[in-house]
Amino acid sequence: MRAWSFPRSSLCLCRGPDAAARDASARLAEACGLAVALDLEVANAEAVTVREVSPRTFFGSGRVEKLKDQAEALHAGVIIVDGALSPVQQRNLEQNTNAKVIDRTGLILEIFGLRARTKEGRLQVELARQGYERSRLVRTWTHLERQRGGLGKTGGPGETQIELDRRQIADRIIRLKRELEDVRRTRGMQRRARARAGLPAVVLVGYTNAGKSTLFNRLTRAGVLAKNMPFATLDPTARLVKLPSNRSVVMSDTVGFISDLPTELVAAFRATLEAVSEADLLIHVRDVAHPESDEQKRDVQNVLAQLAKESGKAPPVLEAWNKIDLLDEATRTGRMQRAHAMEEGGDNPSLAPVAISAETGEGMDALLAAIDRAAFSATRVITLTLDAADGGKTRARIAAAGRILEESTDDDGAITLRAELSVEDAARFAPLEPLPEDIRPAAE
């Protein structure tokens, strides 16, 4: 990760909302939080109404001139624009303001680079960065007339420097993808080992700074970094959690989601996000004290829907309504009553939301009980072949434990069947089975 080489004071700008956008003040506060998470001092922050986006500088000429004056007066070396800038817009803004300009994607990438600790995390951040920088070489090389001749990998005579740099980035991306494929295979083997032990996988998901790591530490005593800042956790961590029934689950903490999550990050962090798709149960940790809690929920649901579409799997979701200790008494009572009503009258009581405070520990017993019910009510669809000698007895045991969906018998009498079983029974009957092809809540 490259080091910061400019003053750490910054200006934050957020584009004002249109009819369909989220509240500008909340969006601006989030952008400032991202800047602080990168150890920047915010010198000034404001929401800017952009009536027409300039293809050259994003903002109009008057706003650009004002930005230049503000940066000089406040000695700010960084201007953060909470939006997506094209490479040309970013370059021209930097030239016109004499300051470093970072858009939302670049800001999140810098934070991820700062937080990555494991080899996997660093690989994923680097892959995302290379994809981002490949489209922004125009910002770096303004001397495109420079030519370089050569042979072999350096290209033929007349290859420009920017073409050479693009070639190098493309080669780097290929190498990173190969290394990450090894990571995916390793994670796959780890998940299979847990499945063979009959341990359901429970994964914490949620908007960044919703309290996932605090809850993870509360339940597992793992000591994961938990701070009141965006993306405090980047590298996934897994721990064993014992439930009230004395059964256990493997619980994992994951990177937080955020609105307008850069596509580069979703693609690069596929090895980590696979844990979400392969989970037996997702715990959606929500900050119910946040003024935009419902909007944050929709952002998380959008990412989960994208992952489910790509993987073909949609694990059941249990909501944990966190930070109830920050609510006033009336709001708190209303939330508790609503959660109780959803448990009593919902379509699936085992997935009714649980009101908690990860900070104080309130609601932990209720949450563990809910995880116990939901994690072990999930079923897996497995496919296995039984030899002719013992196939009949094993088939009868499988039919008694679950539901046979399809079966066929070959000329030698071997039985091949697809069956829907509980997590524990699936691990017992098919200990060497690959990752489950389908996970769904058990039928009522």
Side-chain angles (χ1 to χ4, degrees), residues 200-218:
V202 177
V203 177
L204 302 181
V205 298
Y207 205 83
T208 184
N209 211 27
K212 296 183 301 302
S213 295
T214 302
L215 176 59
F216 185 76
N217 287 337
R218 171 73 63 175

Side-chain angles (χ1 to χ4, degrees), residues 114 138 143 151 174 206 225 249 288 302 340 356 438:
L114 186 67
V138 64
H143 53 290
L151 299 173
I174 291 172
L225 174 65
V249 297
V288 294
N302 288 338
H340 181 70
I356 65 167
D438 190 18

